[in-house]
Amino acid sequence: MQLFFQHLINALQWGSFYALIALGYSMVYGILMLFNFAHGDIFMVGAYIGFGVATALAALAALSALALPNWVILVLTILIAMYLTSFVGMLVERIGYRPLREAPRASAAITGLMIGIILETGNLAILGAQRIRFPSLIKTQVYDIGGVVVTNKKIMIVVVSLVLMLALNEFIKRTRWGMAMRAMAFDYVVIPLMGVPLNTIASLTFALGSALAAAAGILFAVAYPVLDPYIGITYGWKAFVAAILGGRGSVKGACLAGFLLGFIEIFVGAYLSSSLRDLIAYSIILLILVFRPHGFFGEPHSAKLRL
Amino acid sequence: MRKGLLLVVAILVVGLALSPCAWAKSKTIKVGINAPITGDIPKVGEGSKYAAEMWLEDIKAAGGLQVGGEKYMVEIIVEDNESKPESAAKAATKLITEDEVLAIVGPQASSQAIPAGEMANNYGTPMISPWSTNPDTTKDRPFVFRGCFLDPFQGPVVANFIKDEFGFKKAAVLYDIASDYPKGLAEVFKEAWENINGPGSVVAFESFTTKDADFSSQLTNIISSGAQFLFTPQYYNEVALIVQQAQELGFKGPIVGSDSWGSAETVKLCGEACYGLFFSTHYAAAGATGATKEFIERYEKKYGYTPDDVGALTWDALRLVQKAIEDTGKLTGNLKNDRVAVKDALAKIKEFDGITGKMTFTPEGDPIKCAVVVRISEKGEFEFYKSACP
């Protein structure tokens, strides 16, 4: 039983990354009906920006120019990196997708792949191929609760992820911007005729998705502090699976499916076979999609996709 | 359309005619380096490149390579294999067919050395892998050699060391099933450990696949299996993640590694979590003497850090190539025959005094040499702890 709870805790942490990244895929699809295939790499860029901010702040603190405790540095890192990465997202939208808005969807998808490759190789060119160690800002505390081992980092990761998801939900439900996004998701051809600016909403969507991806990137780097330019591919694609599984365009679905994906991966690895983990895990997901082709919360008609 | 094609062909032909490498093959010996400059283990590629640069410096200082009364200039061509098996085979083919090298040094990791060795052997070009410890690299390949000991030797070294040092009975192994080196060594270690402690003494034998970052399900199983220590023959980027996660999940026993740990990056990425851990390797930089010390000091002065085992092994491999070329007595200028002559000369070397120790060679082209066990000190340095000879 202890073992089961231990795996459950591991899965909660692992699922929160997928959920946060899947949100970005899902929102963009919900509003613009396109898959932003560069999203995984925005997650990677977010982690690297976080590394830059954290290193700079830690250096300032060490010089006692700005005496900050480490947890404040971490909070600031997350906020600043989210802010900066949202501009990367908006830039990707402006350069890569806006000129192609009337083009076939396949063109936009290919643009996304290319932007992703540019971000990866650009990073390789600027920072070189060496792995980077993310500074350990908070000291790991290990708590043993009745045989189940939890660290302060794990708790922080899960809590911060849940807070961000709830915040996004509230933003979409309660603000005027959120209302505009929901309207746009309903029909992005007619709604602009009623005075809602499509370009602004598109930028906003990319900004929000990228900010969440940046938060995921930093939390990922806290848990797995070895960064390389290709982390975006592996986890980005898996999160994309979560977005599909949740139902394209559904925020609630993306969160749930992200966690579900984490659970399936961890439990398959733990109880069936760690070497066949992905094979079995993704076969299960394929099976779910056979019976629910639109995912958990997706709707059959694409015109009615809602946030 | 046809005109355009013709123009392209014409430009290519002119370009080929003007390119200097197509004509200047007579008095230069080309040696290829097939190394992971980018990809998962770029530090390994950097070490290989730096060692090759230092070797070339020596050759240049001597005015070239002396073969049978004639001086030859030497050129080094570094090809990046991105630490991928398919790219390594491609890099080997390019070095052999396009760059027309006389011999190849590298690739380093077994997952790349095995496919690249296939190419080198098929094309009849001598290749030395300085760092690949998997038996398959040289097996049934007369043109492929190596500069280090093999996993069937390394596995028992680690198993015996742990038995003698700690007296443990229950082992856990965590390895990458998609990579030749960790997979081979994990299996060899399991066999060696069960030979000492009886069947069933490896209580957890868990695997993952390349690029995984989360090992929590495997490590949770390992901890609940009651293993007293963990053996993980992984590369430095994974070592940092495995060690940290094991400790965060409450694993208290020692974590032991193999020669793939022997990079300056291990400590840089892993930090204090790795202090006090042991691994088996080819040489220990701290406390070296003689030619080894000379090499280390020169490398430190030039590049600002202590060379990894890869650097030292690459140096030895290049010296072996140099000796073989000199031993041929005469180069004919016919690349195919010269390659065979170098291969024969390499196969004839019976004893070699390298900076990673004295070695003798088996008929397979594998050296017999000592291994060392290194401890990562409280300052993050690799300290010599014990040596084990065959």
Side-chain angles (χ1 to χ4, degrees):
Chain A
M1 208 52 203
Q2 284 166 5
L3 206 58
F4 177 80
F5 280 111
Q6 184 68 59
H7 287 307
L8 201 67
I9 297 221
N10 297 343
L12 259 180
Q13 169 181 311
W14 192 230
S16 32
F17 303 123
Y18 286 148
L20 280 178
I21 307 172
L23 280 174
Y25 278 112
S26 212
M27 274 197 296
V28 169
Y29 187 83
I31 289 170
L32 297 171
M33 303 263 297
L34 68 87
F35 285 121
N36 173 18
F37 283 134
H39 192 62
D41 293 296
I42 290 177
F43 157 75
M44 177 273 293
V45 169
Y48 272 85
I49 290 179
F51 165 77
V53 174
T55 315
L57 287 177
L60 280 180
L63 287 171
S64 66
L66 198 68
L68 294 171
N70 274 346
W71 67 270
V72 178
I73 293 184
L74 184 63
V75 172
L76 279 177
T77 302
I78 295 180
L79 292 176
I80 296 174
M82 282 174 77
Y83 181 72
L84 293 176
T85 313
S86 66
F87 285 99
V88 177
M90 286 194 272
L91 197 69
V92 166
E93 194 270 337
R94 183 70 192 81
I95 297 173
Y97 294 116
R98 196 175 294 180
L100 291 172
R101 199 168 288 155
E102 303 308 321
R105 298 289 83 171
S107 308
I110 289 169
T111 315
L113 290 175
M114 287 189 294
I115 292 174
I117 294 173
I118 291 171
L119 290 176
E120 286 153 22
T121 44
N123 180 333
L124 207 59
I126 296 168
L127 291 173
Q130 301 299 351
R131 296 292 184 276
I132 284 175
R133 180 182 166 81
F134 195 82
S136 52
L137 292 171
I138 43 176
K139 189 141 180 54
T140 314
Q141 303 281 351
V142 181
Y143 310 107
D144 191 329
I145 308 166
V148 179
V149 180
V150 196
T151 61
N152 52 350
K153 284 181 185 168
K154 271 194 178 142
I155 298 173
M156 183 205 79
I157 287 166
V158 175
V159 169
V160 172
S161 311
L162 288 176
V163 167
L164 285 171
M165 288 171 210
L166 284 176
L168 177 73
N169 199 37
E170 291 301 297
F171 179 84
I172 288 173
K173 274 216 177 109
R174 299 198 195 274
T175 62
R176 281 170 61 85
W177 287 108
M179 201 207 291
M181 284 170 74
R182 278 182 289 147
M184 205 62 80
F186 191 75
D187 192 329
Y188 76 95
V189 178
V190 175
I191 297 299
L193 300 177
M194 299 170 182
V196 183
L198 174 59
N199 286 342
T200 316
I201 297 300
S203 289
L204 175 68
T205 312
F206 269 84
L208 280 177
S210 305
L212 289 175
I218 295 165
L219 294 176
F220 186 88
V222 168
Y224 312 104
V226 178
L227 296 182
D228 79 82
Y230 297 105
I231 45 171
I233 305 182
T234 334
Y235 306 109
W237 283 114
K238 288 183 172 175
F240 175 63
V241 171
I244 296 287
L245 188 65
R248 289 164 290 190
S250 162
V251 166
K252 198 166 40 170
C255 292
L256 282 178
F259 279 110
L260 182 72
L261 196 63
F263 280 88
I264 294 178
E265 275 197 17
I266 294 282
F267 278 91
V268 168
Y271 289 108
L272 294 172
S273 156
S274 49
S275 47
L276 297 178
R277 188 188 71 192
D278 283 2
L279 176 70
I280 299 176
Y282 290 90
S283 303
I284 294 175
I285 286 159
L286 191 66
L287 213 65
I288 298 178
L289 284 175
V290 167
F291 290 104
R292 284 200 71 92
H294 302 287
F296 297 143
F297 298 99
E299 291 183 21
H301 298 294
S302 51
K304 281 194 177 169
L305 285 170
R306 287 158 208 266
L307 272 175
Chain B
M1 187 62 211
R2 177 167 290 173
K3 244 183 195 162
L5 198 68
L6 220 66
L7 192 70
V8 171
V9 171
I11 291 171
L12 285 178
V13 167
V14 171
L16 202 65
L18 291 178
S19 79
C21 63
W23 299 111
K25 64 165 85 165
S26 54
K27 285 287 176 193
T28 318
I29 293 173
K30 290 185 194 168
V31 177
I33 306 283
N34 187 344
I37 305 296
T38 61
D40 282 335
I41 44 173
K43 199 77 187 171
V44 168
E46 190 184 273
S48 323
K49 199 175 109 195
Y50 285 168
E53 280 170 7
M54 276 171 59
W55 176 74
L56 192 63
E57 243 173 42
D58 277 7
I59 300 281
K60 281 199 174 138
L65 200 56
Q66 185 90 19
V67 188
E70 253 188 290
K71 285 254 182 199
Y72 286 85
M73 289 317 291
V74 175
E75 193 186 329
I76 291 232
I77 298 162
V78 180
E79 196 64 36
D80 178 17
N81 63 33
E82 302 168 312
S83 70
K84 290 182 195 154
E86 62 277 11
S87 306
K90 214 168 67 192
T93 314
K94 179 174 178 287
L95 286 169
I96 294 165
T97 56
E98 282 176 44
D99 298 323
E100 304 190 318
V101 297
L102 185 58
I104 298 176
V105 172
Q108 305 288 6
S110 294
S111 61
Q112 293 121 48
I114 294 171
E118 176 84 42
M119 289 299 149
N121 198 52
N122 288 349
Y123 280 107
T125 306
M127 173 186 131
I128 301 191
S129 173
W131 200 48
S132 164
T133 51
N134 192 303
D136 289 344
T137 306
T138 54
K139 203 172 172 192
D140 299 327
R141 291 171 180 168
F143 280 91
V144 183
F145 301 83
R146 78 175 87 217
C148 52
F149 52 68
L150 278 80
D151 290 335
F153 168 64
Q154 182 172 206
V157 164
V158 178
N160 287 327
F161 165 74
I162 294 164
K163 190 73 199 165
D164 295 346
E165 190 71 24
F166 302 105
F168 287 154
K169 288 207 161 56
K170 288 192 268 180
V173 180
L174 177 63
Y175 68 100
D176 179 357
I177 198 161
S179 182
D180 289 318
Y181 164 81
K183 185 168 174 289
L185 187 50
E187 281 159 6
V188 169
F189 173 81
K190 182 171 187 256
E191 203 189 314
W193 185 257
E194 289 186 335
N195 277 343
I196 303 173
N197 294 289
S201 54
V202 175
V203 288
F205 196 64
E206 296 276 335
S207 62
F208 60 95
T209 36
T210 320
K211 296 230 180 267
D212 278 0
D214 184 85
F215 309 105
S216 58
S217 52
Q218 292 94 327
L219 287 167
T220 302
N221 284 347
I222 285 171
I223 292 166
S224 75
S225 75
Q228 290 165 303
F229 72 98
L230 169 65
F231 175 63
T232 182
Q234 288 308 128
Y235 296 107
Y236 57 77
N237 49 333
E238 289 137 351
V239 170
L241 293 174
I242 292 171
V243 170
Q244 186 193 325
Q245 285 176 44
Q247 291 173 352
E248 284 181 3
L249 284 166
F251 187 70
K252 301 268 175 354
I255 299 170
V256 183
S258 56
D259 66 304
S260 53
W261 283 36
S263 166
E265 291 283 290
T266 306
V267 175
K268 213 179 108 201
L269 293 176
C270 186
E272 285 177 25
C274 277
Y275 291 0
L277 300 183
F278 294 96
F279 63 92
S280 62
T281 186
H282 307 273
Y283 95 129
T289 54
T292 316
K293 194 175 167 216
E294 224 170 83
F295 169 79
I296 292 169
E297 279 170 0
R298 220 176 113 193
Y299 191 105
E300 276 172 347
K301 209 171 138 203
K302 201 158 157 52
Y303 303 111
Y305 67 96
T306 311
D308 303 338
D309 56 348
V310 174
L313 288 168
T314 307
W315 174 266
D316 273 353
L318 282 161
R319 295 266 320 284
L320 276 167
V321 169
Q322 180 185 351
K323 184 170 162 47
I325 295 175
E326 285 166 356
D327 285 354
T328 56
K330 185 181 183 314
L331 289 180
T332 55
N334 179 329
L335 200 59
K336 200 169 163 229
N337 295 347
D338 286 345
R339 282 173 177 166
V340 174
V342 172
K343 175 213 100 180
D344 290 339
L346 263 174
K348 273 195 203 115
I349 297 175
K350 283 277 166 287
E351 243 188 70
F352 183 76
D353 199 4
I355 57 170
T356 55
K358 268 200 175 46
M359 44 190 127
T360 53
F361 287 86
T362 65
E364 277 277 305
D366 297 328
I368 300 171
K369 60 201 273 195
C370 299
V372 290
V373 173
V374 161
R375 180 178 181 273
I376 304 177
S377 75
E378 270 64 38
K379 279 188 260 161
E381 284 172 342
F382 295 159
E383 270 178 2
F384 174 84
Y385 195 78
K386 224 177 192 179
S387 90
C389 291

